[in-house]
Amino acid sequence: MPEPPPVTDSLNLRMFVGTWNVGGKSPHEGLNIRDWLSSPAPADIYVLGFQEIVPLNAGNVLGAEDNGPAAKWLSLIREALNSDQSDEELARCYSDATEESSPSSLQLEQQASLKPRTSFTDLLSMEDELGEEDFERLLNLNSNSSEEGSPSPTYMSGSPARQHFCLAASKQMVGLFLCVWVRTDLYKHISNLKVSCVGCGIMGYLGNKGSVSISMTLHQKTFCFVCTHLTSGEKEGDEIRRNSDVAEILKRTKFSRSFRDLRQPFHPENILDHNKVIWLGDLNYRLAPGCVDTHELLKKNNWQALLEKDQLRIEQRAGRVFSGWEEGRICFAPTYKYLADSDDYVVQTSNSKEKRRIPAWCDRILWKGEGLKQVWYSRGECRFSDHRPVYSLFSVHINLANKLIPTAISCPPRFSSKSALSSACGAKVQAEELLVIPGHKAG
């Protein structure tokens, strides 16, 4: 029997990564999260991490896990990613993009029409040459590739094509919650889904602080997503405890081998074994004490001057945490701490009963590994909690050279309705957890 031909192509996917500390509040019906999930271009993969989806009280930390809020968040996300309204919003985006008539816009449209299938990699190479608005516009105009594994076909033939997303994996530990959503046509290429939880909270191991990590393989490339909530506090020395949390998570996160893994040529056992790693969450790093002109810099929106006092950047430059990791340029306001349902920081209101926290960039997204390029790094403006959500859009390059085409592929269920969509993509992670081989070490 002849061997299947090798594939010598590569994929360029888009991955949306979002993190949000929701302050112990369960989402109400009708909460609009579409603004948070929007980005310069639609994604193929959505990685969404939450902190404090339940209040971090003794009952939730020590008692049975309350997964009611997680189910509500999943329902909201599913609706936002797959609803008809999302399609209508995309159509409006297309209409707005094609009706603008400024000289630079016309030039971009002509460029797009000359190269209607410009690759996402080529677009990224133009990022430094164009302004932010023009780059975003060109990105949208050229998002029209329809090949499997390529960026989803969103702006084609005058209107966006419909894409469905299904839940690939999710995991909760007390208030931490991480979920991964993928285009349904990509789902069949995902394997080896595993989870690992590390508690770093009370007594050093309870789950009020710590991490939830998901490991997966996509087209034989390994991905790890690490959602964390690190030690809080803005006293001098608290940053050292946060550094210690990071070290503990890197050391204690383990992905055990299962029976079906014995046939796999390589299985990552820890975070840094993976080809591509995303670290997201409420890292809780604050502004270093002694920044006397904080209020003036806030009034002037002088983020770069404030970021010189950012503890995460100080600790990273000193080599004490996240050595070799990358983070994009921050061009948005501090994400914490806001008054409830307000655009005012707590520190700006003299009569507030809230703790007078200095505003800080607590909510961050970092990455490590080849083939990842950040395209966008920003924050949302939903007033639901005392944190603002943060999101990033990544270009993900996957080299398929010398990969053999499988002779048989298990496909996800076909979707005939929204009810079918809501029950799609069974819990692979839970199945893998039941097949752990005690004491087995990778060769």
Side-chain angles (χ1 to χ4, degrees), residues 293-340:
D293 53 350
T294 299
H295 300 293
E296 285 302 315
L297 294 174
L298 279 172
K299 289 178 183 177
K300 296 176 181 177
N301 293 346
N302 192 342
W303 313 137
Q304 299 314 308
L306 277 174
L307 282 164
E308 291 299 315
K309 295 288 187 177
D310 177 66
Q311 288 180 339
L312 176 53
R313 296 200 167 183
I314 293 171
E315 295 300 299
Q316 191 176 19
R317 282 196 298 262
R320 292 187 286 263
V321 73
F322 288 116
S323 179
W325 291 71
E326 297 183 70
E327 184 185 19
R329 180 179 172 85
I330 294 177
C331 297
F332 50 86
T335 57
Y336 175 83
K337 174 179 172 91
Y338 283 91
L339 288 168

Side-chain angles (χ1 to χ4, degrees), residues 194 254-263 267 269 431-442:
K194 303 285 172 56
K254 300 294 180 185
F255 300 102
S256 301
R257 289 179 72 90
S258 66
F259 285 110
R260 73 174 62 176
D261 292 328
L262 297 178
R263 296 162 57 186
H267 171 73
E269 288 196 337
E432 293 287 359
E433 289 179 312
L434 295 175
L435 295 170
V436 172
I437 303 174
H440 182 81
K441 296 289 185 180

Side-chain angles (χ1 to χ4, degrees), residues 97-323:
T98 54
E99 288 177 4
E100 292 179 6
S101 59
S102 66
S104 59
S105 299
L106 289 173
Q107 291 171 2
L108 290 174
E109 289 179 3
Q110 291 168 359
Q111 188 172 358
S113 64
L114 290 172
K115 296 180 65 179
R117 298 180 65 84
T118 303
S119 74
F120 199 46
T121 303
D122 290 339
L123 284 173
L124 291 175
S125 68
M126 302 177 193
E127 180 181 8
D128 295 332
E129 303 171 15
L130 299 172
E132 187 174 280
E133 293 184 3
D134 286 347
F135 174 69
E136 176 182 347
R137 176 177 168 71
L138 185 59
L139 190 67
N140 288 338
L141 288 171
N142 285 274
S143 298
N144 62 356
S145 172
S146 60
E147 297 175 355
E148 181 185 36
S150 298
S152 50
T154 306
Y155 303 105
M156 295 178 64
S157 303
S159 64
R162 180 76 173 263
Q163 287 291 341
H164 284 298
F165 290 86
C166 67
L167 178 64
S170 66
K171 184 64 178 177
Q172 178 180 355
M173 180 185 74
V174 189
L176 277 168
F177 182 59
L178 177 63
C179 55
V180 179
W181 299 76
V182 299
R183 278 191 0 237
T184 54
D185 60 304
L186 283 178
Y187 181 79
K188 58 181 174 286
H189 300 293
I190 291 177
S191 60
N192 302 325
L193 278 161
K194 303 285 172 56
V195 298
S196 178
C197 299
V198 173
C200 298
I202 302 169
M203 295 182 288
Y205 70 89
L206 292 185
N208 57 306
K209 295 292 191 293
S211 67
V212 171
S213 301
I214 292 178
S215 169
M216 74 178 196
T217 301
L218 173 61
H219 286 293
Q220 299 184 358
K221 296 298 180 182
T222 56
F223 291 73
C224 186
F225 308 113
V226 186
C227 178
T228 62
H229 193 186
L230 306 184
T231 297
S232 60
E234 58 183 16
K235 299 188 303 295
E236 188 172 357
D238 283 341
E239 71 276 12
I240 298 173
R241 297 170 61 198
R242 291 185 268 274
N243 294 351
S244 177
D245 287 347
V246 173
E248 283 295 300
I249 290 166
L250 287 170
K251 182 172 101 173
R252 290 163 51 193
T253 299
K254 300 294 180 185
F255 300 102
S256 301
R257 289 179 72 90
S258 66
F259 285 110
R260 73 174 62 176
D261 292 328
L262 297 178
R263 296 162 57 186
Q264 299 293 329
F266 173 73
H267 171 73
E269 288 196 337
N270 59 57
I271 291 172
L272 297 180
D273 283 344
H274 292 76
N275 299 128
K276 307 175 197 299
V277 186
I278 303 286
W279 191 299
L280 61 145
D282 180 358
L283 277 56
N284 253 322
Y285 286 94
R286 311 300 174 89
L287 297 183
C291 186
V292 294
D293 53 350
T294 299
H295 300 293
E296 285 302 315
L297 294 174
L298 279 172
K299 289 178 183 177
K300 296 176 181 177
N301 293 346
N302 192 342
W303 313 137
Q304 299 314 308
L306 277 174
L307 282 164
E308 291 299 315
K309 295 288 187 177
D310 177 66
Q311 288 180 339
L312 176 53
R313 296 200 167 183
I314 293 171
E315 295 300 299
Q316 191 176 19
R317 282 196 298 262
R320 292 187 286 263
V321 73
F322 288 116
S323 179

Side-chain angles (χ1 to χ4, degrees), residues 22-63:
V22 293
K25 296 168 63 177
S26 184
H28 54 78
E29 186 177 353
L31 177 65
N32 184 4
I33 62 172
R34 291 187 180 90
D35 288 343
W36 177 39
L37 298 182
S38 64
S39 63
D44 307 291
I45 302 168
Y46 286 82
V47 180
L48 304 176
F50 297 85
Q51 304 82 45
E52 296 190 47
I53 63 167
V54 297
L56 300 183
N57 54 39
N60 285 324
V61 174
L62 300 173

